[in-house]
Amino acid sequence: MTWLDRLRAEPRLILDAVRAASPARIVGESLLVLLVLGLALLPVVLLPLSMPSVFVAAALAVLLTVARLRWPAGALLGTAGLYLVGSFAAMPVLAVISFHAGRRVLPRSRLWLALAVTLLAGFLLGGPDFETEELAGYLLITTGLLVLPALAGLLVGRRRPLSRVLRDRNEYLEQVRLLTAAEARTAERAHIAAEMHDLLGHRLSLISMHAGALELATAKQAPELSEHAHLLRTTAGTAMAELRDVLGILRVGPAEELDQDSGTRADLARLVAESRRVGVDVELCWQGPELDEVDVRVRRAVHRVVREGLTNVHKHAPAATAKVRVEVDADWVRVAVQNGPAAGGPLGTRRGLAGLQERVELLGGRCTSGSTVDGGFELRAALPMLPPAAPAPERAAPVAPPGPLAGEVLTAGRVLGSGCLGLLVVAPMLLVAVVFVVLGFFTGGGPIPAADYAGLNLGASQESVRERFGQGSDLSPFDPVPMPENAECLHYRAADDPAVRQYRLCFRDGMLVSKEELRR
């Protein structure tokens, strides 16, 4: 595509960008344009000045403010025209354009080149003479209006993409965590189903065996019952085959080596002894009666809680001391595995804890885990002695966790950084506004032509001066030249150069006793 084709496509691209912008963005940009225009026209309203350069500078400032959205580097280069026009009121727009260019212009070498060209062009077109005071003031203003806002925009432009990447990564990790927990719950249900296969398979085998014996006995002693015994034996065999087929689909791994002794005091003592053999300092504290006669599902859940807790100690805190506590009363079995603080080990996925929570809640119990006050970790579970016969009702869908923290969350560092960035951009505008408001309030009265000022003689009456040139303004708090003793001084603008020069006329007892030409 040639440059002419790109130029022809610009109006359509600009229109598409405007349509895609949010209403808030359009309103914000419109307010910014109005603010820039208002600052640029302040000399006309407050001083007042009717120089054409003020209107030219205002039009150029508005044009550059709008153009920066599409061509940030070009708008930055165009600010050199403001130096040529020489309107101080329009200069704050430099900070806005420079800040935006710092955020948008890529690569960074292009930004520095555009900034350097702008500084050089501004110095050549409207820079000061090579006098120490004027040159120092020019460098100070240029640094505040161009260099510092560009650096601020550069920092913001680099931070926002990184914040966006971090936010996307946090969202991805949060989704992974939720999917991992859901998969762990499904796998735990499959493990429970496999355990039920071992229990029910044994019971169904006994039923089938006794039904076969009953069938043989009834064939000789009660032929009328032989058919029922045969049906009982075949039904038990069919149930066993169907159970094996269904659980074969659900099986996610090798079945656990659990038996009728799982979850008893002797079983937990074996788990603790195995942990001690591999170097973990762990003890078992048991309070209450034994669990030999408790529902087998509860005992297996107790076994799983202790085993999962000790496994976590092995992985993440092998050098810490650990304690396994079991409290048994008439209604509940409470199990806790706690370890003390230890050097940071590898972070876990909490997959095992999610599956364990699923098992406990299916039995109508509660399972929690988290850090302790001293920096350790504790796993707790409370299981009913008589779990419900039917599966526990499905839990409500978990509430989606809050989204990851955005990069704009207010921390102390970000508050300080945002304040500094805002100060670099807004302070020049406020400074210009204050200067012109002060000048508007304290430079009242009609301007005095240079010839009339030269013709004013000491001794003229104050009334005649006011009748001729107006009331004047009292600028004594800002007066750089000491006033005569017991005198009242009035300030007037110079008609030929009102933005730079003014005249001070001092009166004592209604008579002109001093006149001074002051420069801003």
Side-chain angles (χ1 to χ4, degrees):
M1 180 182 292
T2 64
W3 66 269
L4 185 58
D5 295 333
R6 288 195 294 268
L7 184 61
R8 290 173 178 173
E10 281 299 325
R12 179 177 53 82
L13 296 177
I14 294 174
L15 183 60
D16 293 341
V18 172
R19 290 174 177 173
S22 63
R25 178 70 182 278
I26 295 176
V27 172
E29 292 295 334
S30 301
L31 293 178
L32 179 61
V33 169
L34 293 177
L35 177 61
V36 170
L37 181 61
L39 286 176
L41 294 178
L42 269 180
V44 178
V45 177
L46 297 179
L47 287 180
L49 294 176
S50 59
M51 293 183 295
S53 61
V54 176
F55 297 98
V56 173
L60 181 59
V62 170
L63 180 62
L64 293 176
T65 302
V66 176
R68 87 189 198 286
L69 299 174
R70 183 66 182 168
W71 307 284
L76 182 60
L77 294 173
T79 55
L82 294 175
Y83 287 93
L84 181 62
V85 176
S87 175
F88 181 73
M91 297 303 285
V93 76
L94 295 177
V96 176
I97 295 173
S98 179
F99 178 80
H100 191 81
R103 286 182 51 194
R104 295 280 306 277
V105 176
L106 291 174
R108 300 307 176 193
S109 58
R110 185 184 175 195
L111 170 65
W112 299 126
L113 178 61
L115 187 61
V117 172
T118 302
L119 293 174
L120 180 60
F123 182 81
L124 296 177
L125 294 175
D129 297 331
F130 290 95
E131 297 180 3
T132 304
E133 295 182 358
E134 293 188 6
L135 185 59
Y138 171 80
L139 292 177
L140 181 62
I141 294 176
T142 302
T143 301
L145 292 178
L146 281 177
V147 179
L148 292 182
L151 291 175
L154 179 63
L155 293 177
V156 172
R158 293 185 62 182
R159 183 176 65 85
R160 288 194 173 183
L162 294 177
S163 300
R164 191 178 303 111
V165 170
L166 180 61
R167 183 166 57 251
D168 294 342
R169 178 179 175 83
N170 288 344
E171 292 176 354
Y172 168 76
L173 293 177
E174 187 64 30
Q175 292 297 323
V176 169
R177 187 188 69 81
L178 294 175
L179 292 175
T180 301
E183 183 182 358
R185 293 188 180 95
T186 302
E188 189 64 25
R189 291 195 175 198
H191 283 302
I192 295 173
E195 294 174 10
M196 291 303 101
H197 170 270
D198 297 337
L199 293 174
L200 296 178
H202 179 66
R203 299 291 192 276
L204 290 175
S205 297
L206 292 178
I207 293 175
S208 179
M209 181 180 64
H210 287 290
L214 181 62
E215 181 183 4
L216 293 176
T218 55
K220 297 179 180 180
Q221 301 176 7
E224 64 278 6
L225 299 178
S226 178
E227 183 178 352
H228 297 286
H230 175 74
L231 179 62
L232 180 62
R233 180 180 63 80
T234 55
T235 301
T238 303
M240 184 65 183
E242 291 176 350
L243 179 64
R244 185 179 298 110
D245 293 339
V246 172
L247 297 182
I249 298 175
L250 295 177
R251 190 177 298 274
V252 295
E256 302 176 9
E257 295 295 333
L258 300 178
D259 52 28
Q260 297 298 321
D261 189 40
S262 297
T264 62
R265 186 169 185 173
D267 176 53
L268 301 187
R270 284 195 297 269
L271 292 177
V272 170
E274 292 175 0
S275 297
R276 287 174 179 169
R277 281 196 295 269
V278 296
V280 177
D281 184 8
V282 58
E283 62 174 324
L284 173 63
C285 298
W286 187 289
Q287 296 180 4
E290 299 288 345
L291 295 177
D292 301 78
E293 302 301 325
V294 178
D295 191 304
V296 64
R297 294 175 294 167
V298 175
R299 288 190 283 108
R300 292 198 171 191
V302 170
H303 175 93
R304 281 294 311 276
V305 170
V306 175
R307 190 183 65 185
E308 181 66 27
L310 293 178
T311 299
N312 289 336
V313 173
H314 295 172
K315 290 181 178 179
H316 309 298
T321 58
K323 179 182 293 186
V324 177
R325 298 195 309 274
V326 180
E327 300 176 1
V328 184
D329 56 31
D331 299 320
W332 292 88
V333 180
R334 296 177 176 84
V335 186
V337 181
Q338 181 179 2
N339 63 268
L347 297 177
T349 62
R350 301 185 68 89
R351 180 187 177 93
L353 295 177
L356 185 62
Q357 183 179 10
E358 180 72 11
R359 175 185 287 264
V360 171
E361 291 182 354
L362 285 174
L363 296 176
R366 301 180 301 274
C367 182
T368 59
S369 61
S371 301
T372 58
V373 177
D374 61 354
F377 191 83
E378 184 176 36
L379 172 62
R380 286 179 171 272
L383 295 153
M385 296 290 283
L386 297 175
E394 291 291 336
R395 299 188 307 275
V399 178
L405 296 178
E408 290 75 17
V409 171
L410 293 181
T411 61
R414 285 175 181 163
V415 169
L416 180 61
S418 300
C420 293
L421 296 181
L423 184 63
L424 293 176
V425 177
V426 177
M429 294 186 174
L430 296 179
L431 178 61
V432 170
V434 170
V435 167
F436 279 102
V437 168
V438 170
L439 291 177
F441 279 107
F442 290 100
T443 56
I448 299 179
D452 293 343
Y453 172 77
L456 280 175
N457 297 320
L458 298 181
S461 66
Q462 185 174 359
E463 292 183 1
S464 64
V465 172
R466 286 186 169 178
E467 289 177 359
R468 186 177 179 184
F469 303 113
Q471 295 296 320
S473 62
D474 181 11
L475 201 61
S476 56
F478 309 95
D479 205 331
V481 180
M483 298 190 318
E485 187 176 356
N486 298 324
E488 177 188 0
C489 295
L490 300 177
H491 294 74
Y492 295 86
R493 296 189 302 273
D496 55 340
D497 195 3
V500 177
R501 292 188 298 123
Q502 61 178 283
Y503 301 129
R504 187 185 71 176
L505 307 180
C506 297
F507 301 87
R508 184 187 300 123
D509 298 329
M511 305 297 292
L512 181 63
V513 297
S514 173
K515 65 177 187 177
E516 301 284 343
E517 179 180 327
L518 306 178
R519 287 181 173 270
R520 302 186 195 278

